[in-house]
């Protein structure tokens, strides 16, 4: 098969489209321009995208814009009008319609009553809402991925690059795990300087070196406090504050000199925001 017509080449081209979208969510996104980014025919590229990724380009843009909006609503005091503009919506009315359609509530109500507010009410309230922490040994996972610098809410770009590279190298499997490691505290480090890494698990029988831009790394391999989080990713910033500021200090455990990491148990492309499941791992001193 000519590589120009193979899955790996299309994956690489469409990963450029995803990266471009992430970088221009606050701007109009024209299909013809995205076709140029992909170096594919404007008549056909979006059909290829839909076939490969299981959602239309319009659905991807909407999902990513509203994902970014949840971060602003949950973690900043920006006026909703500003949030709308920063997420590519021309006015509050169109933003509210789109947000309510996906999240089932208005932006203002989400800010006031979203899942992030449960963690801010204290340990007992969070546990009453079903948030519990397990302490267990976590087996090591071998992964390959790419580094990301900037807002943790924009990790999707790094995952898109990782996925395309893994597919191009024939390393994707049905049981591939999507994980990420976060090196910095967003409350202590400026957003533009936050360091993290997106990774996908390598097949257990894989022994060859991965090719650039992928880099191999390992997560786990020791005791961890594990908090299963359900809901939009924006809620997790408050969950982290609860895990460190409430659970850890009352648990009798000590955090290890290792960064936290996350394991994404389902995918936002085919899962409602309220049903997203993420395991948050806090490594503990042995």
């Amino acid at each position: 098969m000519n590589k120009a017509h193979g899955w790996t080449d299309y994956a690489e081209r469409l990963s450029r489209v995803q990266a471009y979208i992430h970088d221009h969510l606050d701007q109009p996104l024209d299909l013809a321009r995205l076709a140029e980014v992909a170096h594919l025919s404007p008549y056909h590229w979006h059909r290829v995208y839909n076939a490969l990724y299981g959602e239309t380009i319009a659905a991807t843009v909407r999902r990513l814009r509203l994902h970014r909006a949840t971060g602003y609503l949950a973690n900043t005091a920006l006026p909703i009008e500003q949030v709308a503009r920063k997420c590519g919506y021309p006015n509050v009315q169109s933003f509210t319609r789109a947000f309510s359609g996906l999240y089932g509530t208005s932006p203002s109500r989400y800010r006031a009553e979203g899942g992030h507010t449960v963690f801010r009410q204290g340990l007992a309230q969070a546990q009453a809402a079903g948030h519990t922490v397990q302490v267990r040994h976590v087996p090591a996972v071998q992964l390959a991925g790419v580094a990301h610098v900037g807002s943790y809410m924009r990790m999707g770009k790094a995952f898109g690059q990782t996925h395309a590279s893994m597919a191009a190298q024939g390393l994707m499997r049905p049981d591939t795990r999507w994980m990420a490691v976060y090196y910095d505290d967003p409350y202590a480090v400026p957003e533009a300087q936050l360091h993290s890494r997106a990774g996908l698990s390598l097949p257990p029988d894989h022994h060859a070196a991965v090719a650039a831009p992928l880099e191999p790394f390992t997560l786990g391999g020791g005791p961890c406090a594990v908090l299963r989080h359900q809901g939009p990713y924006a809620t997790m910033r408050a969950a982290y504050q609860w895990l460190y500021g409430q659970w850890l200090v009352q648990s009798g455990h000590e955090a290890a000199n290792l960064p936290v990491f996350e394991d994404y148990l389902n995918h936002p492309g085919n899962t409602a925001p309220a049903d997203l499941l993420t395991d948050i791992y806090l490594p503990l001193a042995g």
Side-chain angles (χ1 to χ4, degrees):
M1 176 182 289
N2 187 324
K3 184 176 184 293
H5 299 289
W7 148 249
T8 58
D9 185 65
Y10 278 117
E12 291 167 356
R13 292 177 185 224
L14 295 180
S15 75
R16 292 199 296 267
V17 172
Q18 289 189 327
Y20 183 89
I21 290 170
H22 277 278
D23 290 339
H24 298 83
L25 281 176
D26 60 342
Q27 303 171 22
L29 290 166
D30 178 70
L31 288 178
R33 173 60 187 140
L34 295 179
E36 292 177 4
V37 172
H39 297 293
L40 291 169
S41 165
Y43 296 105
H44 308 298
W45 79 269
H46 47 289
R47 295 185 182 181
V48 177
Y49 183 95
N50 190 7
L52 292 183
Y53 291 106
E55 65 178 353
T56 65
I57 194 67
T60 296
V61 171
R62 174 174 171 263
R63 173 172 58 81
L64 293 178
R65 282 176 167 165
L66 295 177
H67 164 71
R68 185 167 296 181
T70 59
Y72 289 129
L73 293 169
N75 304 314
T76 78
L78 284 175
I80 290 176
E81 183 178 2
Q82 275 189 261
V83 173
R85 289 199 304 269
K86 290 174 75 70
C87 297
Y89 288 90
N91 53 61
V92 171
Q93 292 77 16
S94 60
F95 171 58
T96 299
R97 283 195 300 271
F99 192 92
S100 300
L102 185 60
Y103 287 87
T105 188
S106 69
S108 58
R109 189 167 183 179
Y110 175 84
R111 169 172 274 169
E113 302 176 6
H116 51 284
T117 61
V118 173
F119 292 103
R120 293 172 182 161
Q121 293 168 3
L123 183 62
Q125 290 89 340
Q127 290 177 331
H131 301 287
T132 58
V133 178
Q134 293 184 347
V135 175
R136 66 175 188 261
H137 178 84
V138 176
V141 181
Q142 307 297 322
L143 305 105
V146 300
H148 172 72
V149 179
S151 169
Y152 290 159
M153 289 293 292
R154 302 188 182 190
M155 275 289 284
K157 180 179 178 181
F159 271 116
Q161 294 170 331
T162 299
H163 176 261
S165 296
M166 290 279 284
Q169 296 179 42
L171 298 175
M172 292 298 299
R173 297 159 57 104
D175 60 352
T176 295
R177 295 171 67 179
W178 296 61
M179 304 177 72
V181 57
Y182 299 92
Y183 299 104
D184 299 311
D185 178 358
Y187 287 99
V189 177
E191 185 175 80
Q193 299 174 26
L194 293 172
H195 286 78
S196 53
R197 184 175 297 276
L200 275 66
S201 62
L202 291 167
D205 56 351
H206 179 77
H207 302 292
V210 295
L214 296 177
E215 294 181 348
F217 64 105
T218 303
L219 294 176
C224 290
V226 186
L227 170 62
R228 176 155 297 182
H229 174 275
Q230 180 172 343
Y233 297 140
T235 309
M236 286 197 284
R237 188 164 178 175
Y240 272 99
Q241 285 293 96
W242 175 82
L243 182 63
Y244 279 95
Q246 302 256 345
W247 180 85
L248 180 62
V249 298
Q250 298 181 41
S251 69
H253 292 281
E254 181 180 351
N257 188 27
L258 293 167
V260 295
F261 58 96
E262 297 174 359
D263 187 359
Y264 306 100
L265 306 181
N266 46 21
H267 194 278
N270 55 23
T271 306
D275 297 326
L276 291 171
L277 293 175
T278 307
D279 280 344
I280 300 173
Y281 292 86
L282 170 58
L284 299 174

